[in-house]
Amino acid sequence: MPRNSPSDARRGRRAAQEGARPSVQDVAKLAGVAVGTVSNVLNNPDRVTEFTRRKVEAAIAELGFVRNFAARTLVAGTTNTVGLVLVDIGNSLFVDIARGAEAATAASGLKLLLANSDVDQAKQDAYLELFDQAQTAGLLLAPLDGPLDAARAIARRGRPIVVVNAPAADPDMCCVAVDEQLGGYLAAHHLIAQGARRLAFVGGPLHLHAIRDRLDGARQAATEASLDLTVIETHALNVRDGRTAGGNLLRQSRRVDGIVCASDPLAVGVINAAAERGVGVPDDLVVVGYDNNHLASESLIPISTIAQPGLRMGEVATQLLLEETQNDPDHRHQTVVLEPHLIARRSSQRRRPTTNRLRTP
Amino acid sequence: MPRNSPSDARRGRRAAQEGARPSVQDVAKLAGVAVGTVSNVLNNPDRVTEFTRRKVEAAIAELGFVRNFAARTLVAGTTNTVGLVLVDIGNSLFVDIARGAEAATAASGLKLLLANSDVDQAKQDAYLELFDQAQTAGLLLAPLDGPLDAARAIARRGRPIVVVNAPAADPDMCCVAVDEQLGGYLAAHHLIAQGARRLAFVGGPLHLHAIRDRLDGARQAATEASLDLTVIETHALNVRDGRTAGGNLLRQSRRVDGIVCASDPLAVGVINAAAERGVGVPDDLVVVGYDNNHLASESLIPISTIAQPGLRMGEVATQLLLEETQNDPDHRHQTVVLEPHLIARRSSQRRRPTTNRLRTP
DNA sequence: AGCATTATTTGAATCGATTCACGGGCGACT
DNA sequence: AGTCGCCCGTGAATCGATTCAAATAATGCT
């Protein structure tokens, strides 16, 4: 016994043609079933007869039905989507973080949406709010070096949020950080091991936590070796500032022979300045960059650098987020600190390394 | 006469404390007004008395009320959000496109969400579907070199979608493309003008539309000058393949003196290979890259390159999308073709350029 | 004061997918 | 034959913000 008249089916078809997007109602009418059945076909196919399923699927195909995500979300109260707000989509570290997060979310059947705050606090907060309003399962934030109030507010409202690459721990949220000080230390220590004795640090602005930490680490390594460390604060982390700083350093009478740069572009600039002055890299001057950007490995003189574990940062952050999402009762907010590592390339590899500070049995 | 009992207000407060997110209902109760009024405070503040507004805002603040985006979207049937699916978030061209799109959407009060398909057709289609389901105002797609069926289906369903950096025009959607052939032509023509006579093209794989077009353009320039063009197809567009290809080319007896590379990393590789063999760039060999990536300008020998107007691509695409969104009745799907331009740097600038082919009055 | 306007506020209806208590149909087992 | 269960399918109720016709308050005008 047919449960609905042919006119019902006709109406469903018409709705689609008239531009209004078909709903489960339309599909149900066309297929001659109840809306609940359509929903079951979509969400619990095994609760439905093969025959019914076919009918419904045919109707879906005929109408070009697409689920309304908003309605789903409204009922469910949440989504299977994670939002990631990035401070700078042009920086390969953040791209790596995004990749890591993508991999980890995809492995859990979640979608990852990105937003680029473009080093703008207002935009950052706006996108955080958007994701919060959109009922995302959780949020990831690779923030700029500023207040995290908006993120903290979201965390306190109960939406899971994990901060990646942030300077400090926080009682309200999980964080994933990198030991920047260790990075600076590794860089300087490496140069000293290569025989450098007159060290300099190039980077800035120093009000940025990360940069200051890197400087502190470098300074510690220098102090341990009883060496001085000249500091040149730059305005930005780009090639031009590196060239300027390098030029200034190499012009001085007591020339430096080892430079720790707070970024790879700075290192490129320093090396360019050295080339202009006929200072040989690595023979007369050893240089280390930071971040392992593409240009470090692809430069004519491959640049030694401190590599940040971007992919792992994204993965770990997502892991922490998922833990929190699953409402693990004994989840405690924590800060995971990952370690950077040195990638030694040509820019710091003396052909005739001094034996100084090399341990021999 | 009070419209609601104190217990109403208490209930609102309790709801928030119990973890369930407060709704407009809760706010209305706490503020002692109707839900419609709360909505007006949020959306039409000038329809509401100063006094009422204050009350409602206080309640919102006290409860930490956050709008439910899903409910809004369900009623409105659309959002003020645009989705952009990118084929490769690690490539600076696409980052530029994203930046352009961001700027243009922000200027129209829209938010831009990104998704990285990571050169994976399945992911690309999944994200397109997600954005479609999420009722975005429109979609932007910087696709991989594959079928655009999913995008076309979305377009036919009536959701505006614009394809950026796609190979071909399409009757169902607007597209923004770059004249790749012109880019190849400009590169080769420039090398010829610099005096190069034994030309090569390095790039691949050639089944990619863009690469083939660049080759065609370069070939055309060579033909016009009655010159041969050696073609080395590479597996990828990276430094390593460039070095290999460059090594092979420079080993030959009749050495090339001008190389058009289909990417900047390839050019870096070629230049590295030249340096290894003692071939001077630009004096013995002129080289042009493609895409104007960071490493082109920041290389020790700054690399001439064909710059794509990434920012403009993003802006124009967004413009087209917005036109379509506003249901302009006389909107016709169109393909806007933008032109790349040459950026001449040191890698192609002969110190003693031949006068050949230079026009004199 | 009396009436017309305008300014505020109200609250039921709406959007569309999901949920779930309910019921019809059918086979199995006693 | 009777009854217990199970399988499928049903459709009203639900999520929460917005809308809008209607009610009410406030103001202006004569």
Side-chain angles (χ1 to χ4, degrees):
Chain A
M1 176 190 16
R3 272 222 178 56
N4 60 342
S5 67
S7 73
D8 282 340
R10 218 180 307 121
R11 211 175 307 136
R13 221 173 267 126
R14 180 148 42 80
Q17 287 168 3
E18 277 170 3
R21 297 200 144 209
S23 69
V24 278
Q25 305 277 353
D26 300 318
V27 173
K29 274 177 193 155
L30 181 59
V33 299
V35 287
T37 303
V38 176
S39 180
N40 277 333
V41 169
L42 294 169
N43 303 302
N44 311 87
D46 44 344
R47 280 195 209 155
V48 164
T49 318
E50 170 89 8
F51 177 70
T52 316
R53 217 194 58 218
R54 287 266 170 76
K55 268 195 309 186
V56 173
E57 282 170 349
I60 288 176
E62 178 171 350
L63 294 175
F65 167 76
V66 176
R67 265 143 120 152
N68 185 321
F69 192 75
R72 267 154 74 73
T73 304
L74 181 56
V75 176
T78 182
T79 69
N80 64 343
T81 296
V82 171
L84 166 55
V85 180
L86 290 171
V87 63
D88 180 10
I89 203 189
N91 183 319
S92 64
L93 171 61
F94 298 109
V95 171
D96 282 348
I97 291 175
R99 284 225 180 86
E102 240 282 334
T105 47
S108 300
L110 295 168
K111 300 273 169 232
L112 182 72
L113 293 182
L114 311 176
N116 180 24
S117 72
D118 209 10
V119 205
D120 178 334
Q121 181 90 38
K123 273 193 193 174
Q124 175 174 302
D125 294 350
Y127 276 116
L128 285 177
E129 170 137 357
L130 174 63
F131 282 135
D132 184 30
Q133 291 184 3
Q135 321 292 119
T136 53
L139 285 176
L140 297 170
L141 170 64
L144 50 98
D145 203 320
L148 295 177
D149 299 340
R152 216 169 281 126
I154 287 173
R156 278 203 281 259
R157 263 181 242 140
R159 183 161 322 276
I161 178 166
V162 175
V163 177
V164 199
N165 197 45
D170 196 292
D172 290 324
M173 334 175 258
C174 285
C175 298
V176 176
V178 174
D179 191 339
E180 305 279 358
Q181 216 171 324
L182 175 60
Y185 181 90
L186 289 174
H189 184 269
H190 171 65
L191 295 187
I192 294 166
Q194 294 294 315
R197 288 297 169 270
R198 296 179 301 280
L199 294 175
F201 176 93
V202 171
L206 287 175
H207 65 78
L208 297 180
H209 288 76
I211 308 295
R212 207 165 47 228
D213 286 352
R214 292 172 196 180
L215 170 56
D216 289 347
R219 193 172 267 142
Q220 190 191 330
T223 306
E224 282 180 9
S226 308
L227 296 174
D228 285 341
L229 180 73
T230 308
V231 176
I232 304 267
E233 178 171 7
T234 60
H235 182 65
L237 294 170
N238 54 30
V239 175
R240 178 205 299 238
D241 282 18
R243 182 181 226 117
T244 309
N248 290 342
L249 278 171
L250 298 172
R251 181 183 308 135
Q252 294 169 8
S253 53
R254 189 170 169 284
R255 225 183 48 207
V256 300
D257 60 0
I259 302 182
V260 174
C261 300
S263 81
D264 287 333
L266 282 178
V268 170
V270 164
I271 292 174
N272 285 0
E276 281 168 8
R277 296 189 127 70
V279 176
V281 173
D283 287 333
D284 304 324
L285 173 69
V286 282
V287 178
V288 180
Y290 211 108
D291 275 353
N292 194 26
N293 287 340
H294 291 295
L295 81 166
S297 57
E298 293 169 347
S299 172
L300 195 55
I301 297 174
I303 300 173
S304 300
T305 195
I306 302 297
Q308 311 224 46
L311 282 172
R312 282 219 63 222
M313 292 166 76
E315 287 166 5
V316 171
T318 307
Q319 224 67 58
L320 290 170
L321 189 70
L322 294 180
E323 255 182 44
E324 206 167 335
T325 303
Q326 281 142 25
N327 260 323
D328 197 340
D330 45 47
H331 171 89
R332 293 273 140 258
H333 291 312
Q334 59 188 292
T335 293
V336 176
V337 178
L338 300 177
E339 300 198 341
H341 68 277
L342 173 80
I343 297 181
R345 298 205 181 94
R346 186 127 60 85
S347 73
S348 68
Q349 308 268 48
R350 282 272 169 76
R351 273 151 218 178
R352 142 188 73 77
T354 53
T355 53
N356 207 328
R357 295 191 64 86
L358 286 184
R359 301 174 187 204
T360 41
Chain B
M1 176 191 15
R3 276 235 169 48
N4 59 339
S5 67
S7 74
D8 281 341
R10 221 180 306 122
R11 210 175 308 137
R13 221 173 266 126
R14 180 150 40 83
Q17 285 167 3
E18 279 171 3
R21 300 201 141 208
S23 68
V24 279
Q25 305 277 354
D26 299 317
V27 173
K29 273 176 193 155
L30 180 59
V33 299
V35 288
T37 304
V38 176
S39 180
N40 277 333
V41 170
L42 294 168
N43 304 304
N44 311 87
D46 45 345
R47 279 195 209 156
V48 164
T49 321
E50 170 90 9
F51 176 71
T52 316
R53 217 195 58 219
R54 286 265 170 75
K55 271 195 308 186
V56 173
E57 282 169 350
I60 287 175
E62 177 172 350
L63 293 175
F65 166 77
V66 176
R67 266 144 120 148
N68 185 320
F69 192 75
R72 269 155 72 73
T73 304
L74 182 56
V75 175
T78 182
T79 69
N80 63 343
T81 297
V82 170
L84 166 55
V85 179
L86 290 171
V87 63
D88 179 10
I89 200 189
N91 182 319
S92 64
L93 171 61
F94 298 109
V95 171
D96 282 348
I97 291 174
R99 284 223 180 87
E102 240 284 332
T105 47
S108 301
L110 295 168
K111 299 274 170 233
L112 182 72
L113 294 182
L114 310 176
N116 181 23
S117 70
D118 211 9
V119 205
D120 178 333
Q121 180 90 37
K123 274 195 192 174
Q124 174 174 302
D125 293 350
Y127 276 116
L128 285 177
E129 170 136 358
L130 174 64
F131 282 134
D132 185 29
Q133 290 186 3
Q135 321 292 122
T136 53
L139 284 176
L140 296 170
L141 169 65
L144 52 97
D145 204 320
L148 295 177
D149 299 341
R152 216 167 281 127
I154 288 172
R156 279 203 281 257
R157 263 183 242 136
R159 180 156 331 268
I161 180 167
V162 175
V163 177
V164 198
N165 198 44
D170 197 293
D172 290 325
M173 337 176 254
C174 286
C175 298
V176 176
V178 174
D179 190 339
E180 305 279 0
Q181 215 173 324
L182 175 61
Y185 181 90
L186 288 175
H189 185 268
H190 172 64
L191 295 187
I192 294 167
Q194 295 293 314
R197 288 296 170 270
R198 295 179 300 281
L199 295 174
F201 177 94
V202 171
L206 287 176
H207 64 78
L208 296 179
H209 289 75
I211 308 295
R212 207 166 44 229
D213 286 352
R214 292 171 196 179
L215 170 57
D216 288 348
R219 193 171 269 143
Q220 189 189 331
T223 305
E224 282 179 9
S226 307
L227 296 174
D228 285 343
L229 180 72
T230 308
V231 176
I232 305 268
E233 178 170 7
T234 61
H235 184 64
L237 293 171
N238 54 29
V239 175
R240 177 206 298 240
D241 283 17
R243 183 181 224 115
T244 309
N248 290 341
L249 277 171
L250 298 171
R251 180 183 309 133
Q252 294 170 8
S253 52
R254 190 170 170 284
R255 225 182 50 209
V256 300
D257 59 0
I259 302 182
V260 174
C261 301
S263 82
D264 287 333
L266 282 178
V268 170
V270 163
I271 292 173
N272 286 359
E276 282 168 7
R277 296 189 128 69
V279 176
V281 172
D283 287 333
D284 304 324
L285 172 69
V286 283
V287 177
V288 181
Y290 212 109
D291 275 353
N292 193 26
N293 287 339
H294 292 295
L295 81 166
S297 58
E298 292 166 350
S299 173
L300 194 55
I301 298 175
I303 300 174
S304 300
T305 194
I306 301 297
Q308 311 225 43
L311 283 172
R312 282 219 61 223
M313 291 166 77
E315 288 167 4
V316 170
T318 308
Q319 223 68 57
L320 289 171
L321 189 70
L322 294 180
E323 252 181 47
E324 206 166 337
T325 303
Q326 281 143 24
N327 257 324
D328 197 339
D330 45 47
H331 172 87
R332 291 272 140 260
H333 292 313
Q334 58 188 292
T335 293
V336 176
V337 178
L338 300 176
E339 299 198 340
H341 68 277
L342 173 80
I343 297 181
R345 299 204 181 95
R346 186 127 60 84
S347 74
S348 67
Q349 308 267 47
R350 282 271 170 79
R351 274 152 219 178
R352 143 189 71 76
T354 52
T355 53
N356 208 326
R357 295 191 63 84
L358 286 185
R359 303 178 187 205
T360 42

